[in-house]
Amino acid sequence: MKFKDMPYQRVDFEQVEKEMRSIMEDFDRAVNGEEQFRVHERYYELTDRVHTQMTIAHIRYDVDTTDEFYDGEHEYYNEKGPVLHNLLLEYEKKLYVSPYREYLEGKIGPVAFKNMELSRKAMDEKLIPLMQEENALTTEYNKLIAGAKIEFDGKVLNLSLLRPYLVNSDRSVRAAAYEKQSAFFQENAEKLDEIYDKLVKNRTAQARAMGYENYLELGYYRMMRNCYGKEEVENFRSQIREFFVPFAEKLHDRRRQRLGLDKLSYIDGSVYFREGNPAPLGSPEEILAAGQRMYSELSPETKEFYDFMMENELFDVLGRKTKRAGGYMTYMPVYHSPFVFANFNGTSGDVDVITHECGHAFQGYLSGRDPIREHSDITMETAEIHSMSMEFFTQKWMELFFGERAGDYIEMHLEDSAAFIPYGCMVDEFQHIVYENPDMTPAERNAVWLKLESQYRPHQDYTGDPYLEKGTFWQKQQHIYNSPFYYIDYSLAQTCALQYKVKMDEDFHGAWESYLKLCRLSASDFFTNMVKEVGLQSPFEPGCIKNIVEKLEKYVK
């Protein structure tokens, strides 16, 4: 079914609770594991219906944040979401302590039960008012960011539509665009600090209500860190600082020379060539059509997936002034339909949507066929391997998007992918420090950011921008507000994607089969087990990062 034709009806949570109570009663009455699993299949059917309606409302709100009807629906689900979460958790507790657990675990797998254990540690009914307040605060942040009205080049632009000017080949244009962007953030700096301060204190209060010292432990449970913890993440970041930062800095210096500059400035951070970054050829419709050709040639599985997406109009990628910033993939289980949301703006990022978000969507399309819904509950470090690796697997077809500058794009993409890893670690360490010290002032948080910049991105120079010089760059990183501790998942996944880059250059077919296997494994096993099963090295293993850097050196000499 086309997305525009999917009917929407507000979820009646009183009726949902009645159905859930009936399911729970029948679950308790079941006399063996088979009967309980049949009841559990009714739970799948109910939650599929509920999540599909909530997702439709979420997408329709994001495509136009000024739509009064869907704005009301968004507020409704912000209020009711934590109530639903608590109700589902009540059912999961019954599943977790079932006398027939051995049978059930054989059906849905040990990962699901580990996740249930973490969910129990992450939620309690007493948190509902705080979670509702948290939802309201993140909505306030997202509305503020989406509502940016920046006058530039004779137009009124939002942050997404300003992006092409930030990567313009003319440094004076870039400088002027950054000045306008910083002026918007400076104008709202006090409000951004206020929102974040409230979020940190809110999340800390949730953690302490659960008996934890700070939000760190609760945040890890909510991110479903089911096979590693804080120590492993700290070890990974340490490896990145020791081995990867020097490599990334060499790439930045290589870029500096290519740009003909004596020193890189913050206005050069996303520019890779003196003549400007390669931009995609053609209209958004032509980019989508080129994607269809690319995926039809990549594999039978990707052809089937992308044809389905196009036929059912499951893309909303045009940048609009009232549209939420950013991009994502989501899924509507009743229709077995992924959906890709993005803001095309004429930069190479438009093509990254067709590769990165479609990597997520392809995996969602494959895993959606699995009758065991728990297998779709992938943790984020695994999910991001699917997307980031697809960016590399599709590089053979970049000429379709960039013409004679395809080689430039591939070079830029590799450098950008590598440069991101230290940044992702920096965002993560920043959040660890903030939540371990929840009473920090805005100035103290900014000072932490600047110190981390010197460790992870020593080339970074904000001279000339009074707003950024204070250490406020983090305020535009939406994950810091919306999804605490998510960002390290990108860095973990990128180390795996770079391993696929090396593998596919040696044996493309073998690398693709490994990738398909990983997509189909979904969440049937733990991350650290799955990467080994498909022939990758775990990012947590000693020597992993050093080994990756040594293999990547050949691409930059």
Side-chain angles (χ1 to χ4, degrees), residues 337-354:
S337 294
F339 188 92
V340 169
F341 172 95
N343 284 271
F344 275 15
N345 54 24
T347 70
S348 61
D350 298 353
V351 177
D352 297 336
V353 170
I354 302 302

Side-chain angles (χ1 to χ4, degrees), residues 330-493:
T330 189
Y331 188 79
M332 292 162 287
V334 165
Y335 302 106
H336 305 290
S337 294
F339 188 92
V340 169
F341 172 95
N343 284 271
F344 275 15
N345 54 24
T347 70
S348 61
D350 298 353
V351 177
D352 297 336
V353 170
I354 302 302
T355 58
H356 182 99
E357 297 303 342
C358 282
H360 285 307
F362 175 61
Q363 193 279 330
Y365 181 77
L366 292 179
S367 66
R369 300 173 177 184
D370 191 328
I372 305 301
R373 291 289 183 263
E374 287 82 3
H375 290 176
S376 297
D377 295 335
I378 46 176
T379 44
M380 291 302 102
E381 76 290 296
T382 305
E384 297 302 341
I385 301 176
H386 306 141
S387 55
M388 291 175 157
S389 300
M390 186 65 88
E391 295 174 25
F392 289 112
F393 278 111
T394 51
Q395 287 188 343
K396 287 183 180 181
W397 290 269
M398 287 304 104
E399 196 172 325
L400 294 175
F401 302 98
F402 297 101
E404 63 184 17
R405 295 204 68 191
D408 286 348
Y409 171 78
I410 291 169
E411 187 172 10
M412 176 181 77
H413 177 260
L414 179 63
E415 289 187 9
D416 185 57
S417 299
F420 172 82
I421 291 176
Y423 176 70
C425 290
M426 180 175 71
V427 169
D428 183 68
E429 188 164 346
F430 174 75
Q431 293 181 90
H432 277 71
I433 294 170
V434 166
Y435 284 106
E436 286 174 334
N437 302 276
D439 295 321
M440 294 173 80
T441 65
E444 287 171 333
R445 286 196 291 261
N446 294 342
V448 167
W449 183 264
L450 286 177
K451 182 180 178 182
L452 292 172
E453 289 263 27
S454 70
Q455 297 171 4
Y456 286 100
R457 302 203 296 177
H459 70 280
Q460 195 75 342
D461 181 5
Y462 295 119
T463 301
D465 189 307
Y467 170 73
L468 293 175
E469 282 177 350
K470 292 186 292 188
T472 52
F473 184 94
W474 62 270
Q475 290 187 328
K476 75 181 189 70
Q477 187 58 64
Q478 295 181 45
H479 296 73
I480 291 176
Y481 286 80
N482 294 327
S483 308
F485 304 122
Y486 185 156
Y487 224 61
I488 193 67
D489 298 76
Y490 288 113
S491 293
L492 291 167

